[in-house]
Amino acid sequence: MTTAPEFTLCEQLIVAASEAWRGNGELVATGIGTAPRLAASLAKVTHTPELMMTDGEAFLVEEPVPLGPRGYDDRKAAGYLPFSRFFDAAVWSGKRHAMVTPSQIDRFGQTNISYLGGTYDQPKVQMLGARGFPGNSIYHINSMFVPAHSKRVFVEGEVDMVSSVGYNPARRLAGANFDRVDLRLIVTDLCVMDFGGADHEIRVIMLHPGVRFDQAQDATGFALTAAPEIRETPAPTVEQLAIIARFDPHNLRASVIKDNPAGKRN
Amino acid sequence: MNKQLTVEQFVASLKSGMTIGIGGWGPRRKPMALVRAILRSDLTDLTIVTYGGPDVGMLCAAGKVKKLIFGFVSMDAIPLEPYFRKAREAGTLDILELDEGMLQWGLKAAAFRLPFLPTHVGIGTDVMTHGGFKTVQSPYDDGEVVLAMPPLKLDAALLHVHRADKLGNIQALGPDTYYDEWFARAADRTFVSAEEVVDRMDHSYPEDARANIVERCFIHGVVEAPLGAHPTSMPPSYGWDMKHLKAYAASAREDGGWDSWLAGTVGADEAGYLDRAGGKDAIAALPLPIF
């Protein structure tokens, strides 16, 4: 395992994000977006082969599907998991770990992809709608990928519409079951965080080389906790970079982070 | 028994104010020929229940929608549907925003004639607070509090499939049939457009009976509409028309863009539509999308 001589920050984040799925066992690893999908693919072909993945359409595959244009039938189906079975089989069974990029995240880990500003009846900016976030968050493991760490994403108060459940005590409805709420990693262009602080506070566990804790704090709308020992995010190995390139033959990862900056070695 | 209808007979059997469910998923396998028939009609004040794509944007732009019940509205490669956004940001639309799983759960509650189905989904989120959902406590020892998802009862459901016969037997090929089956079961009447309508399925395609996603007692009208999912995808037959969808999305940025689109592309009739949209051969040859 040789550390690569050159790599991009995005590739470094993909490697860090793949750690979210380490040891998860037999569940569906869903990475929504270029970097999370590459991270899930990397996890499956390196440290956690038990993971299950789809081709993004309807089939389960044992060899992750590359991103971008390819032959329609290039993917080899090993199983079947269409949307028509997705809630039964993957979400409401808890057999899934998704990594997503919400528009807003608050101190409780609540996220928003519904709308920004205004009101429910007249939003300032309409987005997708809640999609599967309420169900995902109350049933299975979730992680997040944020390519531009800022106060616009990590908001000061609550998110504008709570699309997914977090650890906000004010929203813990009495008698309801929140046992399966399980937020793991947040990987950003500045740092890696988890929910390991007191009462699930968001905590910095890694800083990318050259980034200081106060830089991450200044780009966050709420107080971050520091892990007792903050590590430096490791550089990718030559082997990891080759796998990422194999699953991203059109280099879509070059447009994940503005100007596609180089990564730094530790 | 003959359930075959012309597209004119189909649209004449709907009424303003109805609650209509639309099958498919985002820009995938939408009954767009039926949606276009509604766009060309005088129908108004509709409540639309769907996993939304361009069907929602077009119906909103044409002023047909009073209320939208949705899990999302997206065209995948064009993540944000521009006319849906316009309607939302203008504050002109009544909405009920659901989790994707809640939507199919509400269809199932309607299908089973239940007052509600219990779920954990929605609890702890604003989908619950804004949607006004109520909870119920388990009568068993655990005493757990769960959300009571009410039925999403439909006056009509619209689907697009590959094949139908005149008796109402339908076959949906392709890798995923989404929740079409449950839209049909939740509806008083289901209208299905098909790439091909045959006299008898057992005489034509008996080998594909497993593609019969819902039984014919739930199907009330079938309409032949070749390429009727365009511009959405219809695997394995044809893919979505992203160039067309991009032009549609771009029209939303122009003054009078929707009026031009309605007159120039949707137009007065379905046969002419296929010509205006590039012609049957070009549409039939659209490559399947890669995910």
Side-chain angles (χ1 to χ4, degrees):
Chain A
M1 301 290 271
T2 317
T3 299
E6 282 182 50
F7 49 87
T8 65
L9 176 60
C10 181
E11 288 163 339
Q12 193 165 17
L13 302 195
I14 290 166
V15 172
S18 81
E19 289 298 318
W21 285 282
R22 184 182 285 275
N24 281 187
E26 282 187 286
L27 49 69
V28 178
T30 305
I32 305 282
T34 297
R37 187 162 142 186
L38 290 169
S41 302
L42 181 64
K44 179 165 171 57
V45 300
T46 56
H47 51 73
T48 309
E50 303 84 3
L51 290 170
M52 297 155 69
M53 287 187 77
T54 77
D55 65 345
E57 187 172 24
F59 297 101
L60 288 163
V61 291
E62 295 300 346
E63 173 71 4
V65 171
L67 271 65
R70 61 176 166 83
Y72 179 75
D73 292 324
D74 286 358
R75 52 112 178 87
K76 296 281 179 277
Y80 185 46
L81 184 57
F83 284 118
S84 61
R85 287 191 351 201
F86 212 82
F87 303 106
D88 303 1
V91 182
W92 296 6
S93 66
K95 295 283 184 191
R96 189 182 188 218
H97 178 172
M99 182 179 286
V100 296
T101 296
S103 302
Q104 292 182 326
I105 301 166
D106 65 26
R107 70 187 64 203
F108 307 110
Q110 300 177 133
T111 75
N112 176 25
I113 55 165
S114 294
Y115 66 82
L116 297 175
T119 63
Y120 180 73
D121 292 322
Q122 186 171 11
K124 188 155 178 288
V125 178
Q126 173 67 40
M127 299 186 293
L128 295 168
R131 293 221 68 150
F133 275 37
N136 295 353
S137 55
I138 203 141
Y139 266 116
H140 65 63
I141 307 169
N142 287 279
S143 291
M144 303 168 205
F145 180 84
V146 178
H149 192 137
S150 77
K151 289 183 178 178
R152 286 162 54 109
V153 177
F154 293 100
V155 295
E156 193 177 335
E158 252 196 334
V159 294
D160 293 350
M161 170 155 170
V162 177
S163 306
S164 71
V165 181
Y167 298 108
N168 183 357
R171 288 184 180 262
R172 289 292 165 115
L173 182 70
N177 187 335
F178 294 90
D179 291 351
R180 295 178 207 82
V181 177
D182 189 350
L183 303 179
R184 296 282 174 94
L185 287 190
I186 306 176
V187 177
T188 82
D189 59 335
L190 298 180
C191 62
V192 179
M193 299 180 280
D194 69 8
F195 290 82
D199 301 322
H200 301 284
E201 277 174 349
I202 296 178
R203 179 178 79 156
V204 175
I205 58 171
M206 286 187 200
L207 288 162
H208 306 329
V211 179
R212 299 182 317 274
F213 179 86
D214 62 298
Q215 286 175 286
Q217 180 60 75
D218 289 349
T220 305
F222 50 84
L224 291 173
T225 303
E229 193 182 333
I230 297 181
R231 288 182 292 147
E232 205 169 53
T233 311
T237 65
V238 171
E239 294 82 357
Q240 288 166 329
L241 283 189
I243 292 165
I244 292 168
R246 173 155 64 95
F247 292 126
D248 184 22
H250 305 284
N251 198 22
L252 301 180
R253 64 193 180 283
S255 52
V256 169
I257 300 175
K258 190 174 181 294
D259 302 328
N260 195 28
K264 289 180 188 159
R265 303 183 60 165
N266 13 358
Chain B
M1 189 163 68
N2 182 356
K3 295 178 182 170
Q4 189 164 14
L5 303 174
T6 65
V7 75
E8 292 78 15
Q9 288 172 317
F10 148 72
V11 83
S13 58
L14 301 179
K15 290 191 180 66
S16 292
M18 276 186 164
T19 297
I20 297 178
I22 304 178
W25 182 275
R28 311 184 199 189
R29 220 162 54 69
K30 284 283 179 178
M32 294 304 293
L34 302 184
V35 169
R36 283 188 286 273
I38 295 174
L39 296 176
R40 295 178 190 115
S41 75
D42 296 328
L43 292 167
T44 185
D45 286 327
L46 302 175
T47 293
I48 299 294
V49 181
T50 193
Y51 295 102
D55 50 338
V56 166
M58 291 182 192
L59 289 166
C60 287
K64 301 296 188 190
V65 187
K66 177 168 172 274
K67 182 172 184 180
L68 179 68
I69 299 177
F70 67 106
F72 64 86
V73 181
S74 176
M75 300 195 288
D76 282 12
I78 306 168
L80 304 174
E81 218 294 347
Y83 287 106
F84 162 67
R85 291 189 84 169
K86 275 194 172 183
R88 287 286 287 131
E89 291 167 15
T92 54
L93 206 56
D94 286 346
I95 64 156
L96 178 61
E97 179 169 344
L98 300 175
D99 169 271
E100 294 167 0
M102 288 173 89
L103 198 162
Q104 57 96 29
W105 206 228
L107 295 175
K108 286 174 178 169
F112 303 144
R113 280 32 176 195
L114 287 167
F116 65 87
L117 278 170
T119 179
H120 295 296
V121 179
I123 285 178
T125 74
D126 278 330
V127 164
M128 179 165 168
T129 50
H130 292 317
F133 293 104
K134 295 190 159 73
T135 57
V136 63
Q137 186 174 15
S138 167
Y140 296 106
D141 290 347
D142 56 86
E144 221 173 85
V145 171
V146 291
L147 185 146
M149 180 66 203
L152 294 171
K153 190 93 191 69
L154 308 176
D155 295 312
L158 315 183
L159 312 177
H160 185 68
V161 301
H162 295 80
R163 302 163 182 159
D165 74 10
K166 292 179 178 176
L167 303 176
N169 293 299
I170 64 170
Q171 290 183 353
L173 309 176
D176 200 342
T177 55
Y178 314 111
Y179 290 90
D180 285 13
E181 169 191 351
W182 296 101
F183 280 97
R185 295 187 202 284
D188 287 339
R189 288 187 297 167
T190 297
F191 299 94
V192 180
S193 56
E195 296 288 316
E196 179 187 9
V197 175
V198 297
D199 287 337
R200 288 269 299 260
M201 201 68 90
D202 52 336
H203 295 171
S204 296
Y205 297 111
E207 68 280 5
D208 290 327
R210 286 193 61 183
N212 178 220
I213 54 171
V214 55
E215 303 76 15
R216 67 171 161 78
C217 55
F218 297 99
I219 307 300
H220 302 80
V222 300
V223 177
E224 189 163 67
L227 308 169
H230 182 272
T232 68
S233 66
M234 188 63 179
S237 303
Y238 51 92
W240 58 40
D241 191 342
M242 201 42 72
K243 196 176 151 200
H244 184 98
L245 289 171
K246 282 182 179 163
Y248 158 71
S251 75
R253 293 191 290 272
E254 292 160 20
D255 286 341
W258 170 252
D259 291 338
S260 306
W261 189 264
L262 185 62
T265 304
V266 177
D269 65 306
E270 193 62 16
Y273 170 80
L274 295 176
D275 290 334
R276 289 185 290 277
K280 286 183 183 175
D281 293 347
I283 294 171
L286 286 166
L288 298 178
I290 304 290
F291 295 95

